[in-house]
């Protein structure tokens, strides 16, 4: 495999498409998380509002019971959090590689004295392959992870703690 004009042109066109697909997928995932969180908050809000009327020292235990009874896990656990950070880092690195590949191919094409380069072609091929893999696998991850809605649960727990903190701060129950 060598860096030729057709290869560089194709790669410079494909890498941005992968970036666009990735951006759309991430936006869709974020929307799904927000929708899920909104539904959870709507379901639990009447109960949380009632708990806010309790004395401050009873509130925390009552909120913990509410979350436990509803089957809502506020924490995602260390292993899941670590896996998310690793996958997020992989995703970010692969998407940055798409930007680098696009710029490198355009620069190579813009140089009138460019020479065929095996190493550059292989690097571009690996980056585009990784990007295509990441874009294809992210929906699979979402599909497998969607029944548990861990991020929405975490946001819900944070929202409950925020509301309790705001109520504690003004002293009103």
């Amino acid at each position: 495999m060598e860096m030729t004009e057709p290869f560089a042109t194709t790669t410079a066109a494909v890498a941005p498409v992968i970036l666009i697909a990735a951006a759309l997928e991430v936006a869709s995932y974020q929307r799904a998380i927000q929708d899920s969180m909104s539904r959870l908050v709507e379901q639990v809000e009447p109960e949380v509002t009632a708990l806010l009327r309790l004395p401050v020292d009873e509130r925390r235990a009552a909120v913990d019971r509410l979350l436990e009874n509803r089957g809502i896990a506020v924490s995602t656990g260390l292993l899941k959090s670590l896996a998310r950070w690793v996958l997020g880092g992989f995703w970010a690195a692969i998407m940055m590689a798409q930007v680098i590949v696009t710029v490198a191919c355009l620069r190579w094409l813009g140089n009138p004295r460019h020479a065929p380069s095996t190493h550059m072609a292989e690097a571009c091929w690996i980056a585009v392959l990784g990007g295509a893999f990441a874009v294809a696998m992210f929906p699979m991850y979402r599909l497998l992870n969607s029944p548990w809605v861990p991020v929405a649960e975490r946001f819900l727990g944070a929202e409950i703690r925020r509301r309790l903190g705001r109520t504690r701060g003004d002293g009103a129950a």
Side-chain angles (χ1 to χ4, degrees), residues 1 3 7 11 101 119-131:
M1 173 181 326
M3 184 64 101
F7 182 86
T11 304
V101 161
H119 298 299
M120 188 171 175
E122 287 174 356
C124 289
W125 179 79
I126 290 169
V128 169
L129 178 67

Side-chain angles (χ1 to χ4, degrees), residues 102-156:
T102 303
V103 171
C105 287
L106 291 174
R107 185 169 187 216
W108 186 87
L109 286 167
N111 180 359
R113 289 183 247 156
H114 56 259
S117 170
T118 303
H119 298 299
M120 188 171 175
E122 287 174 356
C124 289
W125 179 79
I126 290 169
V128 169
L129 178 67
F133 177 78
V135 168
M137 291 310 295
F138 194 70
M140 299 286 195
Y141 168 78
R142 282 181 57 194
L143 181 64
L144 294 173
N145 202 27
S146 64
W148 307 109
V149 197
V151 177
E153 291 170 353
R154 186 173 209 152
F155 283 136
L156 177 62

Side-chain angles (χ1 to χ4, degrees), residues 10-11 28 37 45 70 104 116 129 138 163-164:
T10 302
T11 304
S28 172
M37 184 188 73
E45 188 157 16
R70 287 285 196 145
L129 178 67
F138 194 70
R163 289 182 185 190
L164 284 175

Side-chain angles (χ1 to χ4, degrees), residues 18-94:
I18 291 172
L19 280 171
I20 291 168
L24 292 172
E25 185 59 39
V26 168
S28 172
Y29 187 55
Q30 182 64 30
R31 246 182 273 112
I33 289 170
Q34 289 171 343
D35 292 346
S36 179
M37 184 188 73
S38 294
R39 284 191 302 275
L40 282 170
V41 168
E42 286 172 11
Q43 290 173 1
V44 179
E45 188 157 16
E47 294 171 69
V48 170
T49 303
L51 293 178
L52 293 176
R53 293 187 197 106
L54 293 174
V56 173
D57 53 340
E58 294 176 27
R59 252 185 240 143
R60 181 66 186 171
V63 168
D64 289 342
R65 278 193 308 275
L66 168 68
L67 294 175
E68 185 178 318
N69 292 340
R70 287 285 196 145
I72 299 171
V74 176
S75 174
T76 58
L78 179 61
L79 189 57
K80 282 185 178 180
S81 293
L82 181 61
R84 287 195 179 106
W85 277 102
V86 169
L87 288 172
F90 169 75
W91 181 268
I94 291 293

